[in-house]
Amino acid sequence: MADNGIQLVLENYIGGKFLPCSAYIDSYDPSTGRVYCKVPDSGSEEVDTAVRAAKEAFPDWSSRSPADRAQVMNKLADLMEARLEEFAQAESKDQGKTMTFARTVDIPRSVHNLRFFASSVQHHTTDCSQMDHMGCLNYTIRSPVGVAGLISPWNLPLYLLTWKIAPAIATGNTVVAKPSEMTSVTAWMMCKLMNEAGVPPGVVNMVFGTGPRAGDALVGHPDVPLVSFTGSTATARVITERSAPYCKKLSLELGGKNPAIVFADADMEQCISTTVRSSFSNQGEICLCTSRIFVERSIFPEFLEKFVAAARKWKTGDPSDVSSNNGALISKEHLEKVRGFVKLAREEGAQVHCGEGVDALDLPARNLGGYFMPATVISGVKDSSRVMQEEIFGPVTCLAPFDLEEEAVSRANGVRYGLAATVWSRDVGRVHRVARRLQAGLVWTNCWLVRDLNLPFGGMKNSGVGREGGKDSYHFFTEVKTVTIKQ
Ligand code: NAD
């Protein structure tokens, strides 16, 4: 990796070749605040070249058997796994996350995404039915859609990109992917392994650049019939409008304002350690992070005290230090936005118990220009406040007491988002009841972020449209056709 003033310059990967771009964007190391990498500022020309390459590769790739495609994908996974440390270092430097998180979550999961979908698509069956009275046999065929446009965000860069690339190519599509312009390095590193893995030229094309230029060109390209997007709800609106004239297939994985409901009978110790993790992991920059914690009133004072004590131990520091739980936020602008929510909470009369403005950070000299913020716990915020309604996407969580189960569910549901929720209780009946009534695509009870990739992932309300994972990804990345045969 380039460092010590030497800049890393990325190139687009199109048709199996690395191609320079005429303009570049600065990419910052969030832990130092310094530019360390140049990312292509691609536009419609580069996107069009990539779409043509993907179209050219489609007939061959789509006609290969799932087992043949799996072989290539598994080889790519092996090559990435062999370079896990290198990938983890790059992800940490590019995104600001801790090396520990990149090493144990981002990169292993990226490898797993490839292996999972390589295997998974070989195990789905299609439907068959007989209509006896007509003497007809009905069955379904699933075919890849064509060139898939894949757009991913900056918080889990390679993890979320491979979550799209893997099912797309496993099902026989070819792809043009655009990672976030803020975190493009590991995608570029993965492209360097494509040839050795045996990925034919044009099957995976990577176009780097901003949303309004490269992203927009991809979404608006007439030869891209399907777009899978993970990012903010605001961008999803633009993408929906832009793709509407073409009737594209869309999958939208968006933001969240995820509640935890803690009942008095919960295992408090387990709940606190998991909820601190669910609130602050990856600097709170995970769409599934908990940001509103409703606690039954009888245990609220004790819970708050213990939660704040645990949050204070959640160390923010140099991402390469193994003792750091959190690294830096993605950008200066994002740090200011997150700080703005804490300021607003204070202005509205809330209490900030720890973190921003309360606890000073002890950072090494090299990190003094970085975008760090300590784990912050707030109480006394009204449900109607923007702090309780909008996605903050940083290390900030709000606690509030509740009296009745009914009330907790209704307050948890009282936002425009519906991505994930957690419920803490030992009462199985209540857990089922509450899970059924929560407006969220994922409900974890007495745990958080436990994922079986076979099961649907996605949100309701403003948190998304469609589901991905296992059979859902298989369905999204293929078109189904019903064939009826009369004897
Ligand atoms: P973002 O919407 O700003 O950007 C996401 C991607 O879209 C980037 O690659 C960006 O360049 C691109 N983009 C921006 N404008 C575009 C346009 N007009 N046309 C096409 N592409 C465009 O989101 P972000 O700030 O990178 O990511 C954070 C958001 O992502 C949060 O809201 C978070 O909750 C959400 N997220 C959701 C999930 C999920 O699975 N539901 C997972 C991770 C992150």
Side-chain angles (χ1 to χ4, degrees), residues 151-155 160 178-181 209-212 215-216 219 229-232 235 238-239 253-256 287 391 393 419 457 463:
I151 301 177
S152 56
W154 48 257
N155 62 325
L160 289 171
K178 194 209 80 66
S180 167
E181 60 276 26
T210 66
D216 180 75
V219 175
F229 168 78
T230 299
S232 65
T235 304
V238 178
I239 288 180
E253 302 284 357
L254 313 177
C287 55
E391 183 183 45
F393 218 52
L419 185 56
F457 178 92
S463 289

PDB file of all heavy atoms in Angstrom, residues 151-155 160 178-181 209-212 215-216 219 229-232 235 238-239 253-256 287 391 393 419 457 463, ligand 1:
ATOM      1  N   ILE A 151     -24.607  -0.775  -6.687  1.00  0.00           N
ATOM      2  CA  ILE A 151     -24.093   0.457  -6.056  1.00  0.00           C
ATOM      3  C   ILE A 151     -24.046   0.256  -4.542  1.00  0.00           C
ATOM      4  O   ILE A 151     -25.046  -0.123  -3.931  1.00  0.00           O
ATOM      5  CB  ILE A 151     -24.986   1.657  -6.420  1.00  0.00           C
ATOM      6  CG1 ILE A 151     -25.011   1.834  -7.946  1.00  0.00           C
ATOM      7  CG2 ILE A 151     -24.491   2.933  -5.741  1.00  0.00           C
ATOM      8  CD1 ILE A 151     -25.911   2.926  -8.443  1.00  0.00           C
ATOM      9  N   SER A 152     -22.879   0.505  -3.961  1.00  0.00           N
ATOM     10  CA  SER A 152     -22.723   0.201  -2.537  1.00  0.00           C
ATOM     11  C   SER A 152     -22.193   1.405  -1.755  1.00  0.00           C
ATOM     12  O   SER A 152     -21.586   2.313  -2.328  1.00  0.00           O
ATOM     13  CB  SER A 152     -21.806  -1.019  -2.379  1.00  0.00           C
ATOM     14  OG  SER A 152     -20.586  -0.775  -3.027  1.00  0.00           O
ATOM     15  N   PRO A 153     -22.388   1.396  -0.441  1.00  0.00           N
ATOM     16  CA  PRO A 153     -21.989   2.538   0.396  1.00  0.00           C
ATOM     17  C   PRO A 153     -20.600   2.363   1.017  1.00  0.00           C
ATOM     18  O   PRO A 153     -19.899   1.387   0.724  1.00  0.00           O
ATOM     19  CB  PRO A 153     -23.066   2.525   1.480  1.00  0.00           C
ATOM     20  CG  PRO A 153     -23.351   1.073   1.678  1.00  0.00           C
ATOM     21  CD  PRO A 153     -23.115   0.393   0.359  1.00  0.00           C
ATOM     22  N   TRP A 154     -20.250   3.273   1.923  1.00  0.00           N
ATOM     23  CA  TRP A 154     -18.891   3.314   2.453  1.00  0.00           C
ATOM     24  C   TRP A 154     -18.714   2.611   3.798  1.00  0.00           C
ATOM     25  O   TRP A 154     -17.599   2.487   4.290  1.00  0.00           O
ATOM     26  CB  TRP A 154     -18.423   4.770   2.594  1.00  0.00           C
ATOM     27  CG  TRP A 154     -19.400   5.681   3.282  1.00  0.00           C
ATOM     28  CD1 TRP A 154     -20.215   6.594   2.653  1.00  0.00           C
ATOM     29  CD2 TRP A 154     -19.697   5.784   4.681  1.00  0.00           C
ATOM     30  NE1 TRP A 154     -21.005   7.251   3.589  1.00  0.00           N
ATOM     31  CE2 TRP A 154     -20.707   6.776   4.846  1.00  0.00           C
ATOM     32  CE3 TRP A 154     -19.220   5.142   5.823  1.00  0.00           C
ATOM     33  CZ2 TRP A 154     -21.241   7.123   6.094  1.00  0.00           C
ATOM     34  CZ3 TRP A 154     -19.752   5.488   7.073  1.00  0.00           C
ATOM     35  CH2 TRP A 154     -20.736   6.478   7.191  1.00  0.00           C
ATOM     36  N   ASN A 155     -19.782   2.181   4.441  1.00  0.00           N
ATOM     37  CA  ASN A 155     -19.615   1.735   5.830  1.00  0.00           C
ATOM     38  C   ASN A 155     -19.027   0.333   5.957  1.00  0.00           C
ATOM     39  O   ASN A 155     -18.241   0.059   6.860  1.00  0.00           O
ATOM     40  CB  ASN A 155     -20.927   1.863   6.605  1.00  0.00           C
ATOM     41  CG  ASN A 155     -22.022   1.005   6.054  1.00  0.00           C
ATOM     42  OD1 ASN A 155     -22.112   0.809   4.846  1.00  0.00           O
ATOM     43  ND2 ASN A 155     -22.850   0.469   6.909  1.00  0.00           N
ATOM     44  N   LEU A 160     -20.359  -5.263   1.656  1.00  0.00           N
ATOM     45  CA  LEU A 160     -21.640  -5.024   0.989  1.00  0.00           C
ATOM     46  C   LEU A 160     -21.531  -5.138  -0.530  1.00  0.00           C
ATOM     47  O   LEU A 160     -22.506  -5.476  -1.198  1.00  0.00           O
ATOM     48  CB  LEU A 160     -22.201  -3.656   1.395  1.00  0.00           C
ATOM     49  CG  LEU A 160     -22.691  -3.613   2.850  1.00  0.00           C
ATOM     50  CD1 LEU A 160     -23.037  -2.195   3.266  1.00  0.00           C
ATOM     51  CD2 LEU A 160     -23.896  -4.523   3.059  1.00  0.00           C
ATOM     52  N   LYS A 178     -20.362  -0.059  -8.758  1.00  0.00           N
ATOM     53  CA  LYS A 178     -19.785   1.240  -8.361  1.00  0.00           C
ATOM     54  C   LYS A 178     -19.757   1.331  -6.834  1.00  0.00           C
ATOM     55  O   LYS A 178     -20.786   1.564  -6.206  1.00  0.00           O
ATOM     56  CB  LYS A 178     -20.603   2.407  -8.926  1.00  0.00           C
ATOM     57  CG  LYS A 178     -19.826   3.705  -8.807  1.00  0.00           C
ATOM     58  CD  LYS A 178     -20.654   4.934  -8.660  1.00  0.00           C
ATOM     59  CE  LYS A 178     -21.167   5.199  -7.287  1.00  0.00           C
ATOM     60  NZ  LYS A 178     -20.140   5.498  -6.266  1.00  0.00           N
ATOM     61  N   PRO A 179     -18.578   1.145  -6.247  1.00  0.00           N
ATOM     62  CA  PRO A 179     -18.481   1.313  -4.798  1.00  0.00           C
ATOM     63  C   PRO A 179     -18.538   2.791  -4.430  1.00  0.00           C
ATOM     64  O   PRO A 179     -18.471   3.645  -5.311  1.00  0.00           O
ATOM     65  CB  PRO A 179     -17.102   0.737  -4.462  1.00  0.00           C
ATOM     66  CG  PRO A 179     -16.480   0.322  -5.748  1.00  0.00           C
ATOM     67  CD  PRO A 179     -17.293   0.838  -6.882  1.00  0.00           C
ATOM     68  N   SER A 180     -18.613   3.069  -3.136  1.00  0.00           N
ATOM     69  CA  SER A 180     -18.593   4.468  -2.708  1.00  0.00           C
ATOM     70  C   SER A 180     -17.252   5.098  -3.078  1.00  0.00           C
ATOM     71  O   SER A 180     -16.198   4.481  -2.930  1.00  0.00           O
ATOM     72  CB  SER A 180     -18.793   4.557  -1.202  1.00  0.00           C
ATOM     73  OG  SER A 180     -18.485   5.869  -0.765  1.00  0.00           O
ATOM     74  N   GLU A 181     -17.328   6.328  -3.528  1.00  0.00           N
ATOM     75  CA  GLU A 181     -16.101   7.056  -3.898  1.00  0.00           C
ATOM     76  C   GLU A 181     -15.186   7.269  -2.689  1.00  0.00           C
ATOM     77  O   GLU A 181     -14.005   7.548  -2.829  1.00  0.00           O
ATOM     78  CB  GLU A 181     -16.458   8.408  -4.541  1.00  0.00           C
ATOM     79  CG  GLU A 181     -17.259   9.380  -3.672  1.00  0.00           C
ATOM     80  CD  GLU A 181     -18.771   9.131  -3.685  1.00  0.00           C
ATOM     81  OE1 GLU A 181     -19.195   7.981  -3.927  1.00  0.00           O
ATOM     82  OE2 GLU A 181     -19.510  10.098  -3.433  1.00  0.00           O
ATOM     83  N   GLY A 209     -16.201   6.255  -8.854  1.00  0.00           N
ATOM     84  CA  GLY A 209     -16.600   7.647  -9.029  1.00  0.00           C
ATOM     85  C   GLY A 209     -17.734   8.029  -8.104  1.00  0.00           C
ATOM     86  O   GLY A 209     -18.181   7.225  -7.272  1.00  0.00           O
ATOM     87  N   THR A 210     -18.229   9.233  -8.283  1.00  0.00           N
ATOM     88  CA  THR A 210     -19.261   9.752  -7.385  1.00  0.00           C
ATOM     89  C   THR A 210     -20.654   9.252  -7.783  1.00  0.00           C
ATOM     90  O   THR A 210     -20.865   8.785  -8.913  1.00  0.00           O
ATOM     91  CB  THR A 210     -19.300  11.296  -7.420  1.00  0.00           C
ATOM     92  OG1 THR A 210     -19.727  11.697  -8.728  1.00  0.00           O
ATOM     93  CG2 THR A 210     -17.963  11.904  -7.074  1.00  0.00           C
ATOM     94  N   GLY A 211     -21.588   9.416  -6.868  1.00  0.00           N
ATOM     95  CA  GLY A 211     -22.970   9.048  -7.142  1.00  0.00           C
ATOM     96  C   GLY A 211     -23.590   9.856  -8.263  1.00  0.00           C
ATOM     97  O   GLY A 211     -24.102   9.288  -9.244  1.00  0.00           O
ATOM     98  N   PRO A 212     -23.541  11.181  -8.153  1.00  0.00           N
ATOM     99  CA  PRO A 212     -24.199  11.996  -9.182  1.00  0.00           C
ATOM    100  C   PRO A 212     -23.628  11.805 -10.582  1.00  0.00           C
ATOM    101  O   PRO A 212     -24.319  12.057 -11.573  1.00  0.00           O
ATOM    102  CB  PRO A 212     -23.978  13.433  -8.692  1.00  0.00           C
ATOM    103  CG  PRO A 212     -23.786  13.302  -7.209  1.00  0.00           C
ATOM    104  CD  PRO A 212     -23.080  11.986  -7.015  1.00  0.00           C
ATOM    105  N   GLY A 215     -22.627   6.921 -10.635  1.00  0.00           N
ATOM    106  CA  GLY A 215     -23.814   6.205 -10.148  1.00  0.00           C
ATOM    107  C   GLY A 215     -25.032   6.525 -10.998  1.00  0.00           C
ATOM    108  O   GLY A 215     -25.775   5.633 -11.427  1.00  0.00           O
ATOM    109  N   ASP A 216     -25.210   7.799 -11.273  1.00  0.00           N
ATOM    110  CA  ASP A 216     -26.368   8.230 -12.064  1.00  0.00           C
ATOM    111  C   ASP A 216     -26.305   7.636 -13.481  1.00  0.00           C
ATOM    112  O   ASP A 216     -27.329   7.189 -14.013  1.00  0.00           O
ATOM    113  CB  ASP A 216     -26.392   9.760 -12.124  1.00  0.00           C
ATOM    114  CG  ASP A 216     -27.570  10.269 -12.918  1.00  0.00           C
ATOM    115  OD1 ASP A 216     -28.699  10.227 -12.373  1.00  0.00           O
ATOM    116  OD2 ASP A 216     -27.387  10.656 -14.089  1.00  0.00           O
ATOM    117  N   VAL A 219     -27.375   3.966 -13.230  1.00  0.00           N
ATOM    118  CA  VAL A 219     -28.818   3.780 -12.995  1.00  0.00           C
ATOM    119  C   VAL A 219     -29.620   4.174 -14.239  1.00  0.00           C
ATOM    120  O   VAL A 219     -30.648   3.568 -14.553  1.00  0.00           O
ATOM    121  CB  VAL A 219     -29.273   4.622 -11.773  1.00  0.00           C
ATOM    122  CG1 VAL A 219     -30.773   4.539 -11.590  1.00  0.00           C
ATOM    123  CG2 VAL A 219     -28.560   4.156 -10.509  1.00  0.00           C
ATOM    124  N   PHE A 229     -29.116  -1.502  -4.968  1.00  0.00           N
ATOM    125  CA  PHE A 229     -28.535  -0.329  -4.311  1.00  0.00           C
ATOM    126  C   PHE A 229     -28.569  -0.478  -2.804  1.00  0.00           C
ATOM    127  O   PHE A 229     -29.601  -0.833  -2.227  1.00  0.00           O
ATOM    128  CB  PHE A 229     -29.333   0.923  -4.712  1.00  0.00           C
ATOM    129  CG  PHE A 229     -29.003   2.140  -3.884  1.00  0.00           C
ATOM    130  CD1 PHE A 229     -27.849   2.868  -4.132  1.00  0.00           C
ATOM    131  CD2 PHE A 229     -29.840   2.558  -2.850  1.00  0.00           C
ATOM    132  CE1 PHE A 229     -27.525   3.988  -3.355  1.00  0.00           C
ATOM    133  CE2 PHE A 229     -29.529   3.675  -2.078  1.00  0.00           C
ATOM    134  CZ  PHE A 229     -28.369   4.392  -2.334  1.00  0.00           C
ATOM    135  N   THR A 230     -27.457  -0.212  -2.146  1.00  0.00           N
ATOM    136  CA  THR A 230     -27.439  -0.071  -0.684  1.00  0.00           C
ATOM    137  C   THR A 230     -26.900   1.308  -0.379  1.00  0.00           C
ATOM    138  O   THR A 230     -25.832   1.685  -0.867  1.00  0.00           O
ATOM    139  CB  THR A 230     -26.558  -1.151  -0.031  1.00  0.00           C
ATOM    140  OG1 THR A 230     -27.096  -2.432  -0.348  1.00  0.00           O
ATOM    141  CG2 THR A 230     -26.554  -1.006   1.486  1.00  0.00           C
ATOM    142  N   GLY A 231     -27.649   2.054   0.409  1.00  0.00           N
ATOM    143  CA  GLY A 231     -27.228   3.408   0.746  1.00  0.00           C
ATOM    144  C   GLY A 231     -28.351   4.137   1.459  1.00  0.00           C
ATOM    145  O   GLY A 231     -29.212   3.511   2.085  1.00  0.00           O
ATOM    146  N   SER A 232     -28.351   5.443   1.323  1.00  0.00           N
ATOM    147  CA  SER A 232     -29.311   6.241   2.090  1.00  0.00           C
ATOM    148  C   SER A 232     -30.688   6.281   1.419  1.00  0.00           C
ATOM    149  O   SER A 232     -30.818   6.101   0.205  1.00  0.00           O
ATOM    150  CB  SER A 232     -28.778   7.659   2.269  1.00  0.00           C
ATOM    151  OG  SER A 232     -28.696   8.286   1.011  1.00  0.00           O
ATOM    152  N   THR A 235     -30.874   8.991  -1.348  1.00  0.00           N
ATOM    153  CA  THR A 235     -30.350   8.593  -2.662  1.00  0.00           C
ATOM    154  C   THR A 235     -31.293   7.599  -3.340  1.00  0.00           C
ATOM    155  O   THR A 235     -31.472   7.638  -4.562  1.00  0.00           O
ATOM    156  CB  THR A 235     -28.936   7.969  -2.515  1.00  0.00           C
ATOM    157  OG1 THR A 235     -28.095   8.907  -1.855  1.00  0.00           O
ATOM    158  CG2 THR A 235     -28.338   7.612  -3.846  1.00  0.00           C
ATOM    159  N   VAL A 238     -33.846   9.270  -5.470  1.00  0.00           N
ATOM    160  CA  VAL A 238     -33.315   9.745  -6.757  1.00  0.00           C
ATOM    161  C   VAL A 238     -33.194   8.559  -7.719  1.00  0.00           C
ATOM    162  O   VAL A 238     -33.575   8.633  -8.895  1.00  0.00           O
ATOM    163  CB  VAL A 238     -31.923  10.413  -6.553  1.00  0.00           C
ATOM    164  CG1 VAL A 238     -31.340  10.874  -7.868  1.00  0.00           C
ATOM    165  CG2 VAL A 238     -32.027  11.565  -5.558  1.00  0.00           C
ATOM    166  N   ILE A 239     -32.701   7.442  -7.203  1.00  0.00           N
ATOM    167  CA  ILE A 239     -32.492   6.248  -8.039  1.00  0.00           C
ATOM    168  C   ILE A 239     -33.833   5.707  -8.542  1.00  0.00           C
ATOM    169  O   ILE A 239     -33.972   5.316  -9.703  1.00  0.00           O
ATOM    170  CB  ILE A 239     -31.691   5.189  -7.249  1.00  0.00           C
ATOM    171  CG1 ILE A 239     -30.244   5.660  -7.123  1.00  0.00           C
ATOM    172  CG2 ILE A 239     -31.780   3.809  -7.889  1.00  0.00           C
ATOM    173  CD1 ILE A 239     -29.331   4.734  -6.364  1.00  0.00           C
ATOM    174  N   GLU A 253     -31.699  -1.269  -0.318  1.00  0.00           N
ATOM    175  CA  GLU A 253     -31.375  -1.569   1.088  1.00  0.00           C
ATOM    176  C   GLU A 253     -30.942  -0.252   1.716  1.00  0.00           C
ATOM    177  O   GLU A 253     -29.869   0.257   1.406  1.00  0.00           O
ATOM    178  CB  GLU A 253     -30.220  -2.589   1.158  1.00  0.00           C
ATOM    179  CG  GLU A 253     -30.488  -3.914   0.459  1.00  0.00           C
ATOM    180  CD  GLU A 253     -31.408  -4.821   1.255  1.00  0.00           C
ATOM    181  OE1 GLU A 253     -31.798  -4.461   2.380  1.00  0.00           O
ATOM    182  OE2 GLU A 253     -31.761  -5.893   0.722  1.00  0.00           O
ATOM    183  N   LEU A 254     -31.766   0.286   2.619  1.00  0.00           N
ATOM    184  CA  LEU A 254     -31.577   1.683   3.019  1.00  0.00           C
ATOM    185  C   LEU A 254     -31.304   1.863   4.516  1.00  0.00           C
ATOM    186  O   LEU A 254     -30.907   0.937   5.199  1.00  0.00           O
ATOM    187  CB  LEU A 254     -32.810   2.478   2.569  1.00  0.00           C
ATOM    188  CG  LEU A 254     -33.246   2.192   1.120  1.00  0.00           C
ATOM    189  CD1 LEU A 254     -34.492   2.953   0.766  1.00  0.00           C
ATOM    190  CD2 LEU A 254     -32.114   2.495   0.143  1.00  0.00           C
ATOM    191  N   GLY A 255     -31.564   3.055   4.994  1.00  0.00           N
ATOM    192  CA  GLY A 255     -31.192   3.415   6.358  1.00  0.00           C
ATOM    193  C   GLY A 255     -32.112   2.837   7.419  1.00  0.00           C
ATOM    194  O   GLY A 255     -33.120   2.185   7.128  1.00  0.00           O
ATOM    195  N   GLY A 256     -31.741   3.084   8.668  1.00  0.00           N
ATOM    196  CA  GLY A 256     -32.554   2.580   9.774  1.00  0.00           C
ATOM    197  C   GLY A 256     -32.513   3.523  10.964  1.00  0.00           C
ATOM    198  O   GLY A 256     -31.686   4.444  11.032  1.00  0.00           O
ATOM    199  N   CYS A 287     -25.918   0.026   9.241  1.00  0.00           N
ATOM    200  CA  CYS A 287     -27.347   0.342   9.080  1.00  0.00           C
ATOM    201  C   CYS A 287     -28.187  -0.344  10.160  1.00  0.00           C
ATOM    202  O   CYS A 287     -29.301   0.081  10.451  1.00  0.00           O
ATOM    203  CB  CYS A 287     -27.814  -0.092   7.703  1.00  0.00           C
ATOM    204  SG  CYS A 287     -27.460  -1.830   7.382  1.00  0.00           S
ATOM    205  N   GLU A 391     -31.874   9.104  11.068  1.00  0.00           N
ATOM    206  CA  GLU A 391     -30.715   8.215  11.170  1.00  0.00           C
ATOM    207  C   GLU A 391     -29.459   9.063  11.421  1.00  0.00           C
ATOM    208  O   GLU A 391     -29.155   9.958  10.643  1.00  0.00           O
ATOM    209  CB  GLU A 391     -30.538   7.418   9.870  1.00  0.00           C
ATOM    210  CG  GLU A 391     -29.399   6.434   9.933  1.00  0.00           C
ATOM    211  CD  GLU A 391     -29.163   5.687   8.627  1.00  0.00           C
ATOM    212  OE1 GLU A 391     -29.159   6.321   7.569  1.00  0.00           O
ATOM    213  OE2 GLU A 391     -28.986   4.454   8.685  1.00  0.00           O
ATOM    214  N   PHE A 393     -26.279   7.570  12.262  1.00  0.00           N
ATOM    215  CA  PHE A 393     -25.212   6.782  11.634  1.00  0.00           C
ATOM    216  C   PHE A 393     -23.853   7.087  12.234  1.00  0.00           C
ATOM    217  O   PHE A 393     -22.847   7.202  11.535  1.00  0.00           O
ATOM    218  CB  PHE A 393     -25.210   7.022  10.117  1.00  0.00           C
ATOM    219  CG  PHE A 393     -24.895   5.773   9.321  1.00  0.00           C
ATOM    220  CD1 PHE A 393     -25.579   4.601   9.534  1.00  0.00           C
ATOM    221  CD2 PHE A 393     -23.896   5.779   8.346  1.00  0.00           C
ATOM    222  CE1 PHE A 393     -25.288   3.457   8.820  1.00  0.00           C
ATOM    223  CE2 PHE A 393     -23.590   4.645   7.616  1.00  0.00           C
ATOM    224  CZ  PHE A 393     -24.293   3.485   7.863  1.00  0.00           C
ATOM    225  N   LEU A 419     -36.005  -1.043   9.610  1.00  0.00           N
ATOM    226  CA  LEU A 419     -34.986  -2.013   9.193  1.00  0.00           C
ATOM    227  C   LEU A 419     -34.822  -3.146  10.207  1.00  0.00           C
ATOM    228  O   LEU A 419     -35.143  -4.293   9.923  1.00  0.00           O
ATOM    229  CB  LEU A 419     -33.656  -1.289   8.952  1.00  0.00           C
ATOM    230  CG  LEU A 419     -32.519  -2.143   8.391  1.00  0.00           C
ATOM    231  CD1 LEU A 419     -32.918  -2.815   7.090  1.00  0.00           C
ATOM    232  CD2 LEU A 419     -31.264  -1.313   8.168  1.00  0.00           C
ATOM    233  N   PHE A 457     -32.997 -10.583   4.010  1.00  0.00           N
ATOM    234  CA  PHE A 457     -32.441  -9.384   4.647  1.00  0.00           C
ATOM    235  C   PHE A 457     -33.015  -8.163   3.935  1.00  0.00           C
ATOM    236  O   PHE A 457     -32.991  -8.077   2.717  1.00  0.00           O
ATOM    237  CB  PHE A 457     -30.916  -9.385   4.506  1.00  0.00           C
ATOM    238  CG  PHE A 457     -30.291  -8.153   5.095  1.00  0.00           C
ATOM    239  CD1 PHE A 457     -29.864  -8.135   6.412  1.00  0.00           C
ATOM    240  CD2 PHE A 457     -30.178  -6.979   4.348  1.00  0.00           C
ATOM    241  CE1 PHE A 457     -29.324  -6.990   6.967  1.00  0.00           C
ATOM    242  CE2 PHE A 457     -29.639  -5.832   4.903  1.00  0.00           C
ATOM    243  CZ  PHE A 457     -29.208  -5.837   6.211  1.00  0.00           C
ATOM    244  N   SER A 463     -36.978   1.982   4.929  1.00  0.00           N
ATOM    245  CA  SER A 463     -35.703   1.257   5.017  1.00  0.00           C
ATOM    246  C   SER A 463     -35.435   0.359   3.820  1.00  0.00           C
ATOM    247  O   SER A 463     -34.392  -0.300   3.776  1.00  0.00           O
ATOM    248  CB  SER A 463     -35.644   0.427   6.304  1.00  0.00           C
ATOM    249  OG  SER A 463     -35.518   1.266   7.411  1.00  0.00           O
TER     250      SER A 463
HETATM  251  P1  NAD B   1     -25.342   7.244  -0.080  1.00  0.00           P
HETATM  252  O1  NAD B   1     -26.762   7.050  -0.436  1.00  0.00           O
HETATM  253  O2  NAD B   1     -24.833   8.636   0.032  1.00  0.00           O
HETATM  254  O3  NAD B   1     -24.390   6.533  -1.134  1.00  0.00           O
HETATM  255  C1  NAD B   1     -24.472   5.160  -1.412  1.00  0.00           C
HETATM  256  C2  NAD B   1     -23.929   4.901  -2.790  1.00  0.00           C
HETATM  257  O4  NAD B   1     -24.772   5.538  -3.736  1.00  0.00           O
HETATM  258  C3  NAD B   1     -22.525   5.459  -3.041  1.00  0.00           C
HETATM  259  O5  NAD B   1     -21.807   4.583  -3.862  1.00  0.00           O
HETATM  260  C4  NAD B   1     -22.813   6.757  -3.771  1.00  0.00           C
HETATM  261  O6  NAD B   1     -21.755   7.202  -4.571  1.00  0.00           O
HETATM  262  C5  NAD B   1     -24.015   6.359  -4.600  1.00  0.00           C
HETATM  263  N1  NAD B   1     -24.860   7.461  -5.036  1.00  0.00           N
HETATM  264  C6  NAD B   1     -25.065   8.665  -4.449  1.00  0.00           C
HETATM  265  N2  NAD B   1     -25.895   9.418  -5.199  1.00  0.00           N
HETATM  266  C7  NAD B   1     -26.247   8.667  -6.273  1.00  0.00           C
HETATM  267  C8  NAD B   1     -27.090   8.883  -7.392  1.00  0.00           C
HETATM  268  N3  NAD B   1     -27.733  10.038  -7.572  1.00  0.00           N
HETATM  269  N4  NAD B   1     -27.233   7.898  -8.296  1.00  0.00           N
HETATM  270  C9  NAD B   1     -26.592   6.717  -8.132  1.00  0.00           C
HETATM  271  N5  NAD B   1     -25.770   6.461  -7.095  1.00  0.00           N
HETATM  272  C10 NAD B   1     -25.597   7.418  -6.175  1.00  0.00           C
HETATM  273  O7  NAD B   1     -25.105   6.422   1.244  1.00  0.00           O
HETATM  274  P2  NAD B   1     -23.785   6.364   2.105  1.00  0.00           P
HETATM  275  O8  NAD B   1     -23.665   7.650   2.864  1.00  0.00           O
HETATM  276  O9  NAD B   1     -22.655   5.910   1.248  1.00  0.00           O
HETATM  277  O10 NAD B   1     -24.118   5.163   3.092  1.00  0.00           O
HETATM  278  C11 NAD B   1     -24.764   5.309   4.296  1.00  0.00           C
HETATM  279  C12 NAD B   1     -26.218   4.907   4.169  1.00  0.00           C
HETATM  280  O11 NAD B   1     -26.321   3.570   3.718  1.00  0.00           O
HETATM  281  C13 NAD B   1     -26.935   4.933   5.517  1.00  0.00           C
HETATM  282  O12 NAD B   1     -28.207   5.489   5.339  1.00  0.00           O
HETATM  283  C14 NAD B   1     -27.053   3.461   5.872  1.00  0.00           C
HETATM  284  O13 NAD B   1     -28.095   3.131   6.737  1.00  0.00           O
HETATM  285  C15 NAD B   1     -27.246   2.855   4.536  1.00  0.00           C
HETATM  286  N6  NAD B   1     -26.919   1.441   4.568  1.00  0.00           N
HETATM  287  C16 NAD B   1     -27.928   0.531   4.453  1.00  0.00           C
HETATM  288  C17 NAD B   1     -27.662  -0.838   4.525  1.00  0.00           C
HETATM  289  C18 NAD B   1     -28.736  -1.870   4.382  1.00  0.00           C
HETATM  290  O14 NAD B   1     -28.399  -3.008   4.105  1.00  0.00           O
HETATM  291  N7  NAD B   1     -29.991  -1.543   4.583  1.00  0.00           N
HETATM  292  C19 NAD B   1     -26.340  -1.250   4.699  1.00  0.00           C
HETATM  293  C20 NAD B   1     -25.345  -0.293   4.820  1.00  0.00           C
HETATM  294  C21 NAD B   1     -25.641   1.049   4.741  1.00  0.00           C
END
